[in-house]
Amino acid sequence: MTALASTPDLDVMKRVNRQFVTGVTVVTAMDGDTPRGLAVNAFSSISLDPPTVMVCVQHTSSTHDCLFRADHLAINILSTGQLDVVGTFAAKSADKFADLDWESGPFGSPLIARSSAQMEVRIRERLRASTHTVFVCRVVHAAVTELPPMVYSSGSFFDGGALTSLG
């Protein structure tokens, strides 16, 4: 006898997702001459050869359509010193770049200063998945610093460089 598939309760799914520790990224792209971006924790490496990553963005995000039209975008992996940045990009604001130190990457995408790491990627596929679009991207530029990454779990931000090793 097989069990019937059911959908878990939304509150249970939120609690389950809070148990997973994620990095904190800000995904950015140019919308004409205007930089746009949003905080994203649904990011993952897919392959190292060729270097391929994915990010997931909710359709209702004010940045979604800009990303959907873009050829390239940047993934800025935030450092522990960027709580101000994550706060800005997690909120709704007309100009999130107003007081931000950033520069254009080789393909024009906004790279945020003080980040732990940065990637500029070429969007290869846009997959509609329920309420989100999954952007599958080829990495075309990458940079890394010695700044420890910020991580997120259970509704709080933590110092990714201060984690205790279990091994």
Side-chain angles (χ1 to χ4, degrees), residues 50-87:
T52 306
V53 299
M54 60 161 243
V55 294
C56 303
V57 177
Q58 192 167 11
H59 297 156
T60 58
S61 163
S62 60
T63 306
H64 177 272
D65 292 348
C66 164
L67 296 173
F68 201 86
R69 290 188 302 268
D71 292 327
H72 292 83
L73 58 85
I75 301 163
N76 300 274
I77 299 174
L78 297 190
S79 70
T80 56
Q82 292 180 294
L83 276 174
D84 60 325
V85 174
V86 74

mmCIF file of all heavy atoms in Angstrom, residues 50-87:
data_model
loop_
_atom_site.group_PDB
_atom_site.id
_atom_site.type_symbol
_atom_site.label_atom_id
_atom_site.label_comp_id
_atom_site.label_asym_id
_atom_site.label_seq_id
_atom_site.Cartn_x
_atom_site.Cartn_y
_atom_site.Cartn_z
ATOM 1 N N PRO A 50 31.839 23.001 -16.132
ATOM 2 C CA PRO A 50 32.144 24.432 -16.057
ATOM 3 C C PRO A 50 31.497 25.048 -14.814
ATOM 4 O O PRO A 50 30.504 24.515 -14.304
ATOM 5 C CB PRO A 50 31.528 24.994 -17.334
ATOM 6 C CG PRO A 50 30.373 24.087 -17.616
ATOM 7 C CD PRO A 50 30.800 22.725 -17.136
ATOM 8 N N PRO A 51 32.034 26.180 -14.326
ATOM 9 C CA PRO A 51 31.475 26.791 -13.126
ATOM 10 C C PRO A 51 30.043 27.280 -13.368
ATOM 11 O O PRO A 51 29.813 28.189 -14.175
ATOM 12 C CB PRO A 51 32.434 27.942 -12.828
ATOM 13 C CG PRO A 51 33.147 28.201 -14.098
ATOM 14 C CD PRO A 51 33.151 26.922 -14.870
ATOM 15 N N THR A 52 29.099 26.643 -12.679
ATOM 16 C CA THR A 52 27.681 26.903 -12.881
ATOM 17 C C THR A 52 27.006 27.031 -11.517
ATOM 18 O O THR A 52 27.273 26.240 -10.616
ATOM 19 C CB THR A 52 27.040 25.746 -13.679
ATOM 20 O OG1 THR A 52 27.780 25.545 -14.892
ATOM 21 C CG2 THR A 52 25.594 26.035 -14.027
ATOM 22 N N VAL A 53 26.159 28.037 -11.380
ATOM 23 C CA VAL A 53 25.444 28.297 -10.138
ATOM 24 C C VAL A 53 23.975 28.543 -10.437
ATOM 25 O O VAL A 53 23.588 28.717 -11.598
ATOM 26 C CB VAL A 53 26.040 29.504 -9.373
ATOM 27 C CG1 VAL A 53 27.490 29.260 -8.987
ATOM 28 C CG2 VAL A 53 25.905 30.790 -10.177
ATOM 29 N N MET A 54 23.176 28.582 -9.369
ATOM 30 C CA MET A 54 21.762 28.927 -9.527
ATOM 31 C C MET A 54 21.320 29.856 -8.412
ATOM 32 O O MET A 54 21.865 29.817 -7.306
ATOM 33 C CB MET A 54 20.884 27.683 -9.529
ATOM 34 C CG MET A 54 20.971 26.871 -8.256
ATOM 35 S SD MET A 54 19.574 25.777 -8.081
ATOM 36 C CE MET A 54 18.858 26.441 -6.593
ATOM 37 N N VAL A 55 20.373 30.706 -8.732
ATOM 38 C CA VAL A 55 19.693 31.530 -7.742
ATOM 39 C C VAL A 55 18.202 31.452 -8.025
ATOM 40 O O VAL A 55 17.791 31.287 -9.180
ATOM 41 C CB VAL A 55 20.164 33.011 -7.739
ATOM 42 C CG1 VAL A 55 21.596 33.140 -7.303
ATOM 43 C CG2 VAL A 55 19.951 33.668 -9.077
ATOM 44 N N CYS A 56 17.409 31.544 -6.968
ATOM 45 C CA CYS A 56 15.951 31.503 -7.103
ATOM 46 C C CYS A 56 15.376 32.824 -6.619
ATOM 47 O O CYS A 56 15.725 33.291 -5.532
ATOM 48 C CB CYS A 56 15.375 30.358 -6.277
ATOM 49 S SG CYS A 56 16.049 28.746 -6.700
ATOM 50 N N VAL A 57 14.485 33.401 -7.425
ATOM 51 C CA VAL A 57 13.908 34.706 -7.101
ATOM 52 C C VAL A 57 12.395 34.633 -7.259
ATOM 53 O O VAL A 57 11.887 34.152 -8.280
ATOM 54 C CB VAL A 57 14.485 35.809 -8.019
ATOM 55 C CG1 VAL A 57 13.843 37.159 -7.729
ATOM 56 C CG2 VAL A 57 16.005 35.887 -7.863
ATOM 57 N N GLN A 58 11.694 35.121 -6.243
ATOM 58 C CA GLN A 58 10.239 35.119 -6.260
ATOM 59 C C GLN A 58 9.723 36.046 -7.358
ATOM 60 O O GLN A 58 10.237 37.156 -7.556
ATOM 61 C CB GLN A 58 9.711 35.554 -4.894
ATOM 62 C CG GLN A 58 8.237 35.309 -4.715
ATOM 63 C CD GLN A 58 7.812 35.451 -3.263
ATOM 64 O OE1 GLN A 58 8.554 35.928 -2.413
ATOM 65 N NE2 GLN A 58 6.601 35.025 -2.973
ATOM 66 N N HIS A 59 8.670 35.598 -8.053
ATOM 67 C CA HIS A 59 8.099 36.378 -9.153
ATOM 68 C C HIS A 59 7.605 37.745 -8.716
ATOM 69 O O HIS A 59 7.624 38.688 -9.508
ATOM 70 C CB HIS A 59 6.921 35.634 -9.788
ATOM 71 C CG HIS A 59 7.289 34.335 -10.408
ATOM 72 N ND1 HIS A 59 6.392 33.319 -10.595
ATOM 73 C CD2 HIS A 59 8.468 33.860 -10.878
ATOM 74 C CE1 HIS A 59 6.982 32.285 -11.147
ATOM 75 N NE2 HIS A 59 8.249 32.581 -11.332
ATOM 76 N N THR A 60 7.160 37.872 -7.475
ATOM 77 C CA THR A 60 6.604 39.142 -7.000
ATOM 78 C C THR A 60 7.668 40.151 -6.577
ATOM 79 O O THR A 60 7.338 41.300 -6.275
ATOM 80 C CB THR A 60 5.644 38.902 -5.815
ATOM 81 O OG1 THR A 60 6.363 38.224 -4.773
ATOM 82 C CG2 THR A 60 4.429 38.079 -6.246
ATOM 83 N N SER A 61 8.934 39.758 -6.587
ATOM 84 C CA SER A 61 10.004 40.688 -6.239
ATOM 85 C C SER A 61 10.043 41.834 -7.243
ATOM 86 O O SER A 61 9.909 41.622 -8.447
ATOM 87 C CB SER A 61 11.354 39.968 -6.230
ATOM 88 O OG SER A 61 12.410 40.905 -6.274
ATOM 89 N N SER A 62 10.274 43.034 -6.747
ATOM 90 C CA SER A 62 10.375 44.195 -7.646
ATOM 91 C C SER A 62 11.610 44.106 -8.544
ATOM 92 O O SER A 62 11.697 44.815 -9.542
ATOM 93 C CB SER A 62 10.393 45.496 -6.833
ATOM 94 O OG SER A 62 11.508 45.505 -5.962
ATOM 95 N N THR A 63 12.556 43.235 -8.226
ATOM 96 C CA THR A 63 13.775 43.061 -9.028
ATOM 97 C C THR A 63 13.638 41.910 -10.023
ATOM 98 O O THR A 63 14.432 41.786 -10.948
ATOM 99 C CB THR A 63 14.984 42.817 -8.088
ATOM 100 O OG1 THR A 63 15.035 43.872 -7.131
ATOM 101 C CG2 THR A 63 16.297 42.795 -8.843
ATOM 102 N N HIS A 64 12.617 41.072 -9.866
ATOM 103 C CA HIS A 64 12.485 39.870 -10.695
ATOM 104 C C HIS A 64 12.514 40.172 -12.193
ATOM 105 O O HIS A 64 13.261 39.553 -12.949
ATOM 106 C CB HIS A 64 11.212 39.100 -10.342
ATOM 107 C CG HIS A 64 11.001 37.905 -11.208
ATOM 108 N ND1 HIS A 64 10.330 37.975 -12.421
ATOM 109 C CD2 HIS A 64 11.407 36.624 -11.079
ATOM 110 C CE1 HIS A 64 10.320 36.779 -12.977
ATOM 111 N NE2 HIS A 64 10.967 35.934 -12.174
ATOM 112 N N ASP A 65 11.696 41.107 -12.643
ATOM 113 C CA ASP A 65 11.590 41.359 -14.080
ATOM 114 C C ASP A 65 12.898 41.870 -14.668
ATOM 115 O O ASP A 65 13.268 41.513 -15.786
ATOM 116 C CB ASP A 65 10.441 42.321 -14.381
ATOM 117 C CG ASP A 65 9.076 41.688 -14.096
ATOM 118 O OD1 ASP A 65 9.008 40.452 -13.898
ATOM 119 O OD2 ASP A 65 8.082 42.430 -14.043
ATOM 120 N N CYS A 66 13.615 42.699 -13.921
ATOM 121 C CA CYS A 66 14.929 43.177 -14.356
ATOM 122 C C CYS A 66 15.867 41.985 -14.543
ATOM 123 O O CYS A 66 16.560 41.882 -15.566
ATOM 124 C CB CYS A 66 15.495 44.150 -13.334
ATOM 125 S SG CYS A 66 17.263 44.466 -13.480
ATOM 126 N N LEU A 67 15.909 41.079 -13.555
ATOM 127 C CA LEU A 67 16.767 39.894 -13.660
ATOM 128 C C LEU A 67 16.336 39.010 -14.823
ATOM 129 O O LEU A 67 17.171 38.456 -15.542
ATOM 130 C CB LEU A 67 16.733 39.093 -12.357
ATOM 131 C CG LEU A 67 17.294 39.787 -11.120
ATOM 132 C CD1 LEU A 67 17.036 38.936 -9.890
ATOM 133 C CD2 LEU A 67 18.769 40.084 -11.280
ATOM 134 N N PHE A 68 15.036 38.872 -15.022
ATOM 135 C CA PHE A 68 14.531 38.007 -16.086
ATOM 136 C C PHE A 68 14.945 38.520 -17.467
ATOM 137 O O PHE A 68 15.210 37.742 -18.370
ATOM 138 C CB PHE A 68 12.998 37.879 -15.998
ATOM 139 C CG PHE A 68 12.469 36.671 -16.688
ATOM 140 C CD1 PHE A 68 12.413 35.450 -16.034
ATOM 141 C CD2 PHE A 68 12.023 36.742 -18.002
ATOM 142 C CE1 PHE A 68 11.938 34.314 -16.670
ATOM 143 C CE2 PHE A 68 11.543 35.622 -18.646
ATOM 144 C CZ PHE A 68 11.501 34.400 -17.976
ATOM 145 N N ARG A 69 15.024 39.850 -17.614
ATOM 146 C CA ARG A 69 15.431 40.451 -18.891
ATOM 147 C C ARG A 69 16.942 40.480 -19.085
ATOM 148 O O ARG A 69 17.432 40.611 -20.203
ATOM 149 C CB ARG A 69 14.920 41.887 -18.977
ATOM 150 C CG ARG A 69 13.435 42.035 -19.125
ATOM 151 C CD ARG A 69 13.049 43.486 -19.400
ATOM 152 N NE ARG A 69 13.502 44.407 -18.364
ATOM 153 C CZ ARG A 69 12.790 44.777 -17.303
ATOM 154 N NH1 ARG A 69 11.581 44.295 -17.125
ATOM 155 N NH2 ARG A 69 13.268 45.636 -16.426
ATOM 156 N N ALA A 70 17.695 40.387 -18.005
ATOM 157 C CA ALA A 70 19.153 40.571 -18.054
ATOM 158 C C ALA A 70 19.860 39.394 -18.725
ATOM 159 O O ALA A 70 19.374 38.262 -18.716
ATOM 160 C CB ALA A 70 19.691 40.753 -16.637
ATOM 161 N N ASP A 71 21.040 39.685 -19.293
ATOM 162 C CA ASP A 71 21.924 38.637 -19.813
ATOM 163 C C ASP A 71 22.901 38.194 -18.728
ATOM 164 O O ASP A 71 23.317 37.042 -18.693
ATOM 165 C CB ASP A 71 22.730 39.154 -21.012
ATOM 166 C CG ASP A 71 21.859 39.411 -22.225
ATOM 167 O OD1 ASP A 71 20.870 38.679 -22.422
ATOM 168 O OD2 ASP A 71 22.154 40.363 -22.976
ATOM 169 N N HIS A 72 23.304 39.147 -17.883
ATOM 170 C CA HIS A 72 24.266 38.896 -16.804
ATOM 171 C C HIS A 72 23.695 39.413 -15.487
ATOM 172 O O HIS A 72 22.890 40.340 -15.475
ATOM 173 C CB HIS A 72 25.597 39.605 -17.072
ATOM 174 C CG HIS A 72 26.343 39.043 -18.225
ATOM 175 N ND1 HIS A 72 26.078 39.401 -19.528
ATOM 176 C CD2 HIS A 72 27.345 38.134 -18.280
ATOM 177 C CE1 HIS A 72 26.880 38.739 -20.345
ATOM 178 N NE2 HIS A 72 27.662 37.964 -19.609
ATOM 179 N N LEU A 73 24.158 38.835 -14.388
ATOM 180 C CA LEU A 73 23.848 39.340 -13.064
ATOM 181 C C LEU A 73 25.051 39.059 -12.169
ATOM 182 O O LEU A 73 25.952 38.311 -12.554
ATOM 183 C CB LEU A 73 22.564 38.721 -12.498
ATOM 184 C CG LEU A 73 22.460 37.200 -12.358
ATOM 185 C CD1 LEU A 73 23.058 36.705 -11.052
ATOM 186 C CD2 LEU A 73 20.994 36.805 -12.419
ATOM 187 N N ALA A 74 25.058 39.674 -11.010
ATOM 188 C CA ALA A 74 26.138 39.446 -10.039
ATOM 189 C C ALA A 74 25.554 38.822 -8.786
ATOM 190 O O ALA A 74 24.425 39.117 -8.394
ATOM 191 C CB ALA A 74 26.851 40.744 -9.704
ATOM 192 N N ILE A 75 26.355 37.962 -8.176
ATOM 193 C CA ILE A 75 26.017 37.365 -6.892
ATOM 194 C C ILE A 75 27.093 37.819 -5.919
ATOM 195 O O ILE A 75 28.266 37.474 -6.076
ATOM 196 C CB ILE A 75 25.957 35.836 -6.983
ATOM 197 C CG1 ILE A 75 24.919 35.421 -8.028
ATOM 198 C CG2 ILE A 75 25.650 35.230 -5.609
ATOM 199 C CD1 ILE A 75 25.045 33.998 -8.500
ATOM 200 N N ASN A 76 26.704 38.640 -4.964
ATOM 201 C CA ASN A 76 27.603 39.181 -3.957
ATOM 202 C C ASN A 76 27.387 38.397 -2.676
ATOM 203 O O ASN A 76 26.298 38.448 -2.093
ATOM 204 C CB ASN A 76 27.301 40.662 -3.723
ATOM 205 C CG ASN A 76 27.482 41.483 -4.987
ATOM 206 O OD1 ASN A 76 28.582 41.923 -5.285
ATOM 207 N ND2 ASN A 76 26.395 41.693 -5.745
ATOM 208 N N ILE A 77 28.383 37.617 -2.245
ATOM 209 C CA ILE A 77 28.288 36.847 -1.007
ATOM 210 C C ILE A 77 28.705 37.782 0.124
ATOM 211 O O ILE A 77 29.859 38.205 0.192
ATOM 212 C CB ILE A 77 29.162 35.585 -1.075
ATOM 213 C CG1 ILE A 77 28.683 34.686 -2.220
ATOM 214 C CG2 ILE A 77 29.148 34.853 0.264
ATOM 215 C CD1 ILE A 77 29.568 33.478 -2.481
ATOM 216 N N LEU A 78 27.750 38.119 0.980
ATOM 217 C CA LEU A 78 27.991 39.156 1.972
ATOM 218 C C LEU A 78 28.923 38.697 3.079
ATOM 219 O O LEU A 78 28.943 37.530 3.465
ATOM 220 C CB LEU A 78 26.673 39.637 2.565
ATOM 221 C CG LEU A 78 25.696 40.293 1.587
ATOM 222 C CD1 LEU A 78 24.545 40.944 2.351
ATOM 223 C CD2 LEU A 78 26.367 41.289 0.666
ATOM 224 N N SER A 79 29.687 39.660 3.586
ATOM 225 C CA SER A 79 30.603 39.422 4.703
ATOM 226 C C SER A 79 29.913 39.802 6.012
ATOM 227 O O SER A 79 28.838 40.425 6.008
ATOM 228 C CB SER A 79 31.879 40.241 4.524
ATOM 229 O OG SER A 79 31.602 41.619 4.706
ATOM 230 N N THR A 80 30.550 39.450 7.111
ATOM 231 C CA THR A 80 29.983 39.733 8.435
ATOM 232 C C THR A 80 29.842 41.230 8.710
ATOM 233 O O THR A 80 29.047 41.617 9.554
ATOM 234 C CB THR A 80 30.847 39.096 9.540
ATOM 235 O OG1 THR A 80 32.188 39.573 9.400
ATOM 236 C CG2 THR A 80 30.824 37.586 9.448
ATOM 237 N N GLY A 81 30.560 42.060 7.987
ATOM 238 C CA GLY A 81 30.486 43.505 8.188
ATOM 239 C C GLY A 81 29.435 44.181 7.342
ATOM 240 O O GLY A 81 29.467 45.405 7.191
ATOM 241 N N GLN A 82 28.488 43.419 6.800
ATOM 242 C CA GLN A 82 27.517 44.004 5.877
ATOM 243 C C GLN A 82 26.063 43.863 6.328
ATOM 244 O O GLN A 82 25.158 43.758 5.496
ATOM 245 C CB GLN A 82 27.696 43.399 4.483
ATOM 246 C CG GLN A 82 29.002 43.798 3.831
ATOM 247 C CD GLN A 82 29.146 43.190 2.451
ATOM 248 O OE1 GLN A 82 29.256 41.976 2.306
ATOM 249 N NE2 GLN A 82 29.146 44.048 1.438
ATOM 250 N N LEU A 83 25.817 43.912 7.636
ATOM 251 C CA LEU A 83 24.422 43.886 8.092
ATOM 252 C C LEU A 83 23.634 45.056 7.518
ATOM 253 O O LEU A 83 22.445 44.929 7.228
ATOM 254 C CB LEU A 83 24.353 43.910 9.623
ATOM 255 C CG LEU A 83 24.507 42.556 10.313
ATOM 256 C CD1 LEU A 83 24.574 42.729 11.822
ATOM 257 C CD2 LEU A 83 23.388 41.610 9.927
ATOM 258 N N ASP A 84 24.296 46.199 7.341
ATOM 259 C CA ASP A 84 23.641 47.354 6.739
ATOM 260 C C ASP A 84 23.195 47.047 5.311
ATOM 261 O O ASP A 84 22.104 47.419 4.881
ATOM 262 C CB ASP A 84 24.560 48.571 6.767
ATOM 263 C CG ASP A 84 25.873 48.359 6.017
ATOM 264 O OD1 ASP A 84 26.411 47.218 6.031
ATOM 265 O OD2 ASP A 84 26.391 49.329 5.425
ATOM 266 N N VAL A 85 24.027 46.327 4.579
ATOM 267 C CA VAL A 85 23.729 46.002 3.177
ATOM 268 C C VAL A 85 22.553 45.030 3.097
ATOM 269 O O VAL A 85 21.624 45.227 2.306
ATOM 270 C CB VAL A 85 24.977 45.429 2.469
ATOM 271 C CG1 VAL A 85 24.641 44.957 1.068
ATOM 272 C CG2 VAL A 85 26.092 46.471 2.436
ATOM 273 N N VAL A 86 22.581 43.970 3.910
ATOM 274 C CA VAL A 86 21.482 43.007 3.853
ATOM 275 C C VAL A 86 20.168 43.677 4.260
ATOM 276 O O VAL A 86 19.124 43.414 3.664
ATOM 277 C CB VAL A 86 21.760 41.724 4.679
ATOM 278 C CG1 VAL A 86 21.652 41.946 6.162
ATOM 279 C CG2 VAL A 86 20.833 40.600 4.257
ATOM 280 N N GLY A 87 20.218 44.582 5.227
ATOM 281 C CA GLY A 87 19.015 45.310 5.624
ATOM 282 C C GLY A 87 18.456 46.147 4.489
ATOM 283 O O GLY A 87 17.244 46.172 4.259
#
